[in-house]
Amino acid sequence: FPSLSGNDNSEALPESIPSAPGTLPHFMEEPDDAYIIKSNPIVLRCKAMPAMQIFFKCNGEWVHQNEHVSEESMDETTGLKVREVFINVTRQQVEDFHGPEDYWCQCVAWSHLGTSKSRKASVRIAYLRKNFEQDPQGKEVPIEGMIVLHCRPPEGVPAAEVEWLKNEEPIDSNLDENIDTRADHNLIIRQARLSDSGNYTCMAANIVAKRRSMSATVVVYVNGGWSSWTEWSNCNARCGRGWQKRSRTCTNPAPLNGGAFCEGMSVQKITCTSLCPVDGNWEVWSEWSVCSPECEHLRVRECVAPPPRNGGKYCEGLSQESENCTEGLCIQDKKPLHEIKSQNIENASDIALYSGLGAAVIAVAVLVVGVTVYRRSQSEYGVDVIDSSALTGGFQTFNFKTVRQGNSLLLNSSMQPDLTVSRTYSGPICLQDPMDKELMTESSLFNPLSDIKVKVQSSFMVSLGVTERAEYHGKAHSGTFPHENSRGFGTIHARSKATYIQNLSSISTKSELKTTAIFGHLGGRLVIPNTGVSLLIPHGAIPEESSWEIYLAISQRESSLQPDGTDVLLGPEVSCGPSDASVSTPFALTIPHCAELNSEHWNIHLKKRTQQGKWEEVMSVEEETTSCYCLLDPYACHILLNSFGTYALIGEPISDCAIRQLKVAVFGCMSCNSLDYNLRVYCMDNTPCAFQEVASDEKLQGGQLLEEPKLLHFKGNTFSLQISVLDIPPFLWRIKPFTACQEVPFSRVWCSNQQPLHCAFSLERYTPATTQLSCKICVRQVKGHEQILQIQTSILENERETIAFFAHDDSNFPAQMGPKAFKIPYSIRQRICATFDTPSAKGKDWQMLAQKNSINRNLSYFATQSSPSAVILDLWEARHQHDGDLDSLACALEEIGRTHSKISNITETEIEEPDFNYSRQNGL
């Protein structure tokens, strides 16, 4: 054989060697293709029979003899020689080869008859790159939709095999006919099921390494569908006009994993009329029948005037009556004579009874005449007055008789003011003229306040309705009537006195509370102090590099909105602007209301005034709409809007149990007569702005709040309101006759249209030494709620105990711009929005955030917003402007389980520090 020991391999081995007769070599094992992993060499083996020699040739060149390892054996069956040869191929050898094809090796075997060649085995360096050529992408698909996830594995030798994982568990397409993973490494789910939601990962592997793709989140969502309508409920009114409703729920199916909420209304209401039950009533008795042999005659009546209808009660009593028809002369069944005599005795006793009643009537008449004579004899009044309200406690028209000779024309001191007028009192004025003094003693009960228009700038302080740097329009004419009526009292008796006593609400014009500030892209909050009215401008609602002057105002003039029928204006008429501006994110307007919330008793509407001055309905609070959103809290309504304008809340009572909450407050002050003391009782809507108005008026005229105001539940059941003074110390104070109790008709209280009602009582001391006043003020609705205010006060100015007017005095901050206006730090807010705006496979998204914040209605409104979570947090900011209860928000987030950080751990310093720096840098 040619030598293979040297480096010179140019001498080739012969293809065949003549030899003795035999067979050619037969390969029992040929070299296989191999891959070099990292730096580990591979072993190629070759086995042939019969074989005298076996050598490897790689890339056309013989491998050196020293690099071969040979083993020789004998085949037991044939007795022929079996030779097996091994060689190693290193990574360096493969890398140094630069040929047109892969590195290859082949073995050649010799026998006596010649040579045989094996197959060529290729040797390649194995590898797998790190990056996938295409990662699978997350998808949101509707239920039963098709899901296709593409995956192109990294380049590698040998080619990588692909496996899919779902939530870190391998997917076996053989076990699920709905899944196919054979198509070019892609994952195909033919019909998506809820169980297919999850995180999918593409795994690529070869003999070198394994590679994981980026995880792709697949969310299978379900759009909500309405259930069937329920049956119409029974008419809620047992008698007369009421309403019926039916409802449906978004549960067929319920929206899941971010699916769209149902569009349309979940509740429908229609009016209905129930037939009123009519109780039966007896017709008149028939004529007596003919006297029977038993000495009796009969008469009958029927229950037909009217007969009972619609479940009404049947008449009570007997339908037949009988009596003796011979006045006892006929003895029935041989009765003893003494029983007949006893009837005559009874007739005699009846005569005595009627005589006693007649005497009592005469005694009462004498008493009435005596009281009349006594009243006319009192010189203190000096005028004859026919005052029907003195007897009824109401507020009817006053009729004056001609005065007696020698007395000037005076107003009756017991006359009561019109309870529909607010701002009726001014400071006491004392005049020297006797006639004027007598008239002006009670004139403060009729004198309207001057007009005040307060414009509150962002740096102003408003406390109790009085501003340090306010603009006042109009002058206060203390103790006088307005200019139209400022002529002397001496001219009155030349004219009709009916024209002098007029409705003062037509004289007094109301002012407007208004606050303005300039806001930019960072947003802020605008508040009218001590009124409960506020406006929240979210971050980003105003375009960048823009600044808007935004105003917020409460109209204190009589509202142009006139509710229909028994509808009620539940809160102030609020304006915000500029009206032509349009925001990109809804702003939150907060309006206080005085209704006790109950959907069975109230139907509440939001109305807006058009540019033509007409009012149009925006929405019903119970309505499902995507144009705006109303959230009713017990004392305020928070409204999300996209356009500025003038808005008001209207309540439609749908049962007699609808309750309008009234605040009852008592003020007092000395009159110009040093012995007199005036008590003024106000009944106003239970809103901060209504009390602000009354408190401001009283402060201007020196009135003092005598007792903490109390809440009265006034029902819409047509019963009137009674106000009375009780338990006046008899030997220290006195109140003029027939003035201790006054009554207000239901319509004046229920339809007051935001005008506070008041009632005045004038008390007189017997001696100047009396400086303490103790009594009770009882305010009650007939057949309804009652409140008693215990008055215990000193009438001396320096000894009075001051009672705070407002629980939250926000007059120091009428306007807040930028981050300091918000309770939630902006960075925390961004993290919350990023977390909850993204749909989750477990359904934990913004809908759960809304639910944890007690927002369970009209979720379709939030679904239309670009960031539902941001709008929900804006609503939270509006609801918590006073408490800023970050703990409750943190607890809600912890319950959802989407965050473990506690917002409540953020200290005041951490929140306010950047705000302070921001304000200082911007010159605020």
Side-chain angles (χ1 to χ4, degrees):
F1 297 105
S3 175
L4 298 177
S5 60
N7 292 330
D8 184 7
N9 295 328
S10 59
E11 184 179 355
L13 290 173
E15 293 297 327
S16 64
I17 301 176
S19 60
T23 61
L24 289 174
H26 168 68
F27 286 99
M28 303 174 65
E29 183 177 348
E30 296 183 82
D32 292 326
D33 295 338
Y35 297 95
I36 295 178
I37 301 174
K38 297 182 181 179
S39 298
N40 300 321
I42 56 99
V43 177
L44 296 178
R45 67 180 65 223
C46 188
K47 188 175 183 181
M49 176 185 74
M52 298 174 59
Q53 288 290 342
I54 297 177
F55 291 100
F56 273 94
K57 179 186 288 186
C58 293
N59 301 319
E61 296 182 357
W62 293 104
V63 178
H64 195 279
Q65 183 178 0
N66 296 336
E67 296 180 10
H68 290 73
V69 176
S70 299
E71 293 181 359
E72 186 175 314
S73 62
M74 183 74 69
D75 184 44
E76 296 179 356
T77 305
T78 61
L80 298 176
K81 283 187 178 181
V82 178
R83 185 174 294 274
E84 185 174 6
V85 178
F86 306 90
I87 65 169
N88 290 333
V89 179
T90 65
R91 182 186 184 99
Q92 187 67 39
Q93 289 176 306
V94 177
E95 289 179 345
D96 291 343
F97 174 72
H98 301 286
E101 55 186 350
D102 291 335
Y103 189 100
W104 61 269
C105 291
Q106 182 183 42
C107 62
V108 180
W110 281 267
S111 71
H112 294 286
L113 290 182
T115 62
S116 296
K117 295 181 180 179
S118 71
R119 63 178 295 275
K120 289 183 179 180
S122 63
V123 179
R124 304 172 67 184
I125 298 175
Y127 68 92
L128 184 63
R129 301 194 183 279
K130 290 184 178 181
N131 296 326
F132 278 73
E133 295 183 5
Q134 182 178 5
D135 285 302
Q137 302 296 316
K139 293 181 180 293
E140 296 179 17
V141 295
I143 194 167
E144 297 186 354
M146 178 178 283
I147 303 174
V148 179
L149 298 180
H150 298 280
C151 175
R152 293 176 60 188
E155 179 186 352
V157 173
E161 296 182 356
V162 172
E163 180 185 27
W164 284 91
L165 304 180
K166 175 190 173 185
N167 296 332
E168 304 303 323
E169 294 291 333
I171 297 176
D172 189 353
S173 59
N174 296 323
L175 300 179
D176 191 343
E177 296 180 353
N178 194 39
I179 298 178
D180 185 4
T181 59
R182 296 169 297 177
D184 196 21
H185 307 309
N186 297 328
L187 173 67
I188 300 175
I189 301 178
R190 298 182 179 90
Q191 286 188 325
R193 302 155 296 191
L194 286 177
S195 59
D196 293 325
S197 296
N199 296 319
Y200 287 81
T201 307
C202 181
M203 290 287 297
N206 64 5
I207 59 176
V208 179
K210 289 185 178 181
R211 301 283 187 256
R212 291 173 57 96
S213 71
M214 299 290 291
S215 292
T217 300
V218 173
V219 177
V220 180
Y221 62 85
V222 179
N223 292 325
W226 289 115
S227 65
S228 300
W229 288 103
T230 62
E231 296 295 329
W232 288 104
S233 64
N234 295 328
C235 195
N236 71 317
R238 184 172 176 266
C239 170
R241 179 174 173 266
W243 55 267
Q244 293 174 281
K245 71 176 182 180
R246 65 176 183 175
S247 61
R248 57 181 179 175
T249 57
C250 190
T251 56
N252 188 31
L256 192 63
N257 296 341
F261 200 80
C262 304
E263 295 184 358
M265 299 175 59
S266 62
V267 178
Q268 282 186 344
K269 288 186 179 181
I270 58 174
T271 58
C272 58
T273 303
S274 298
L275 296 176
C276 297
V278 178
D279 294 338
N281 196 20
W282 293 112
E283 65 176 352
V284 296
W285 287 101
S286 65
E287 296 294 331
W288 288 102
S289 65
V290 178
C291 194
S292 68
E294 289 79 18
C295 305
E296 288 185 341
H297 57 177
L298 304 175
R299 63 175 181 176
V300 295
R301 57 179 178 176
E302 294 184 3
C303 188
V304 293
R309 295 194 304 272
N310 306 326
K313 296 180 181 179
Y314 195 79
C315 305
E316 295 182 358
L318 300 175
S319 62
Q320 178 176 311
E321 189 176 64
S322 64
E323 67 175 21
N324 191 286
C325 55
T326 62
E327 297 182 358
L329 298 179
C330 176
I331 300 177
Q332 303 175 24
D333 299 329
K334 298 181 181 179
K335 288 183 179 180
L337 185 60
H338 67 84
E339 292 189 10
I340 300 177
K341 290 182 180 180
S342 65
Q343 294 179 4
N344 295 333
I345 295 174
E346 291 177 2
N347 292 337
S349 65
D350 290 344
I351 296 175
L353 175 63
Y354 293 140
S355 300
L357 290 177
V361 171
I362 295 173
V364 171
V366 172
L367 180 60
V368 171
V369 172
V371 171
T372 303
V373 172
Y374 170 77
R375 291 186 64 195
R376 294 193 177 186
S377 65
Q378 300 298 311
S379 59
E380 177 185 354
Y381 302 98
V383 64
D384 290 333
V385 179
I386 300 176
D387 184 358
S388 61
S389 68
L391 296 176
T392 64
F395 296 84
Q396 293 82 12
T397 305
F398 295 94
N399 301 314
F400 291 82
K401 300 196 322 185
T402 306
V403 297
R404 292 196 294 269
Q405 185 66 27
N407 288 343
S408 59
L409 185 62
L410 300 178
L411 291 177
N412 182 10
S413 60
S414 65
M415 181 169 59
Q416 303 304 319
D418 188 341
L419 292 190
T420 62
V421 183
S422 66
R423 294 189 173 188
T424 314
Y425 307 103
S426 65
I429 296 298
C430 300
L431 302 177
Q432 296 302 319
D433 181 75
M435 185 274 289
D436 287 347
K437 179 177 179 180
E438 184 69 17
L439 179 61
M440 291 305 293
T441 300
E442 299 296 325
S443 66
S444 62
L445 302 181
F446 297 92
N447 195 3
L449 287 176
S450 59
D451 299 331
I452 302 173
K453 183 174 183 180
V454 182
K455 182 177 182 181
V456 183
Q457 298 299 338
S458 61
S459 61
F460 289 177
M461 293 179 58
V462 182
S463 179
L464 307 181
V466 179
T467 61
E468 296 177 3
R469 295 165 58 185
E471 297 179 9
Y472 292 90
H473 300 267
K475 296 182 179 180
H477 302 278
S478 178
T480 66
F481 288 93
H483 292 299
E484 297 87 344
N485 298 316
S486 59
R487 56 188 179 275
F489 295 111
T491 61
I492 296 176
H493 43 358
R495 299 168 182 250
S496 169
K497 288 165 285 299
T499 62
Y500 179 73
I501 303 174
Q502 52 184 297
N503 185 356
L504 296 179
S505 62
S506 64
I507 300 175
S508 176
T509 59
K510 299 299 178 70
S511 60
E512 184 183 65
L513 288 177
K514 184 176 181 180
T515 179
T516 62
I518 296 177
F519 293 92
H521 183 69
L522 297 179
R525 192 190 302 271
L526 201 57
V527 177
I528 300 182
N530 299 324
T531 63
V533 176
S534 64
L535 181 68
L536 182 77
I537 308 295
H539 183 284
I542 299 175
E544 291 190 40
E545 300 180 359
S546 298
S547 295
W548 293 356
E549 183 178 11
I550 296 179
Y551 70 84
L552 183 64
I554 299 175
S555 175
Q556 290 190 293
R557 296 181 297 273
E558 186 171 355
S559 176
S560 60
L561 176 57
Q562 299 298 327
D564 300 329
T566 57
D567 291 357
V568 177
L569 185 61
L570 295 178
E573 182 182 309
V574 178
S575 301
C576 55
S579 58
D580 56 348
S582 179
V583 295
S584 58
T585 303
F587 61 87
L589 177 63
T590 298
I591 302 178
H593 68 80
C594 61
E596 185 175 78
L597 299 181
N598 190 321
S599 59
E600 301 291 327
H601 303 152
W602 284 106
N603 190 7
I604 298 177
H605 307 267
L606 176 67
K607 292 196 174 185
K608 180 181 181 181
R609 188 170 63 193
T610 63
Q611 293 181 349
Q612 294 76 25
K614 296 183 178 180
W615 288 87
E616 60 182 17
E617 181 165 333
V618 178
M619 67 173 294
S620 171
V621 172
E622 297 293 329
E623 180 183 346
E624 300 278 347
T625 178
T626 58
S627 60
C628 62
Y629 187 88
C630 285
L631 178 63
L632 278 174
D633 279 344
Y635 299 105
C637 180
H638 308 284
I639 312 164
L640 295 176
L641 299 162
N642 286 92
S643 61
F644 295 105
T646 301
Y647 296 91
L649 289 173
I650 294 296
E652 175 190 0
I654 50 182
S655 77
D656 289 348
C657 296
I659 291 179
R660 182 177 186 177
Q661 296 180 337
L662 300 179
K663 181 174 289 186
V664 180
V666 180
F667 291 82
C669 71
M670 295 288 293
S671 68
C672 47
N673 183 343
S674 62
L675 294 179
D676 288 351
Y677 189 77
N678 291 327
L679 291 178
R680 296 190 283 272
V681 182
Y682 290 85
C683 295
M684 70 212 82
D685 287 340
N686 184 35
T687 59
C689 49
F691 186 64
Q692 156 87 323
E693 181 182 357
V694 171
S696 300
D697 291 350
E698 284 290 335
K699 184 174 180 66
L700 291 176
Q701 59 182 329
Q704 176 75 22
L705 184 65
L706 302 183
E707 175 65 6
E708 183 176 351
K710 292 190 176 181
L711 198 61
L712 182 74
H713 299 290
F714 192 82
K715 287 187 177 181
N717 55 11
T718 71
F719 289 106
S720 59
L721 184 72
Q722 292 180 346
I723 306 173
S724 55
V725 182
L726 308 173
D727 298 346
I728 300 174
F731 301 108
L732 300 177
W733 294 85
R734 68 171 180 173
I735 188 169
K736 295 179 181 179
F738 305 103
T739 63
C741 180
Q742 303 183 28
E743 186 167 345
V744 188
F746 169 82
S747 59
R748 291 196 180 180
V749 182
W750 192 257
C751 304
S752 60
N753 201 14
Q754 293 293 297
Q755 304 300 314
L757 306 179
H758 68 263
C759 180
F761 298 92
S762 181
L763 281 67
E764 182 181 1
R765 293 179 290 172
Y766 283 100
T767 171
T770 301
T771 60
Q772 297 292 324
L773 173 61
S774 175
C775 64
K776 294 180 180 178
I777 303 294
C778 177
V779 181
R780 63 180 293 268
Q781 184 183 16
V782 177
K783 297 185 179 180
H785 190 215
E786 176 183 77
Q787 282 288 12
I788 295 180
L789 290 85
Q790 180 69 52
I791 306 301
Q792 183 74 41
T793 185
S794 171
I795 64 174
L796 301 179
E797 195 74 28
N798 56 355
E799 295 182 4
R800 290 178 180 167
E801 179 182 355
T802 303
I803 299 176
F805 283 169
F806 302 105
H808 300 287
D809 187 1
D810 46 16
S811 58
N812 289 327
F813 306 101
Q816 293 176 305
M817 281 73 74
K820 78 184 302 184
F822 303 97
K823 308 297 182 183
I824 306 174
Y826 185 68
S827 59
I828 300 296
R829 176 190 174 95
Q830 291 291 85
R831 288 163 55 192
I832 294 175
C833 294
T835 300
F836 287 97
D837 284 342
T838 303
S840 166
K842 297 182 180 179
K844 295 178 180 177
D845 54 10
W846 62 265
Q847 297 186 54
M848 185 169 290
L849 179 65
Q851 179 185 358
K852 291 298 181 182
N853 285 277
S854 303
I855 302 173
N856 303 311
R857 184 187 53 79
N858 195 12
L859 294 183
S860 56
Y861 172 82
F862 299 97
T864 61
Q865 305 299 321
S866 59
S867 175
S869 302
V871 180
I872 292 171
L873 294 180
D874 291 336
L875 196 56
W876 184 93
E877 291 276 2
R879 299 176 73 185
H880 296 85
Q881 61 174 312
H882 289 300
D883 54 43
D885 189 7
L886 289 173
D887 282 337
S888 64
L889 182 59
C891 290
L893 294 176
E894 281 192 80
E895 288 182 17
I896 299 175
R898 299 300 293 275
T899 177
H900 298 287
S901 61
K902 286 192 175 182
I903 300 178
S904 58
N905 291 336
I906 301 172
T907 63
E908 279 187 20
T909 305
E910 291 174 337
I911 296 175
E912 295 180 359
E913 180 84 8
D915 298 340
F916 173 76
N917 295 334
Y918 171 83
S919 302
R920 183 171 54 189
Q921 292 168 6
N922 290 271
L924 298 177

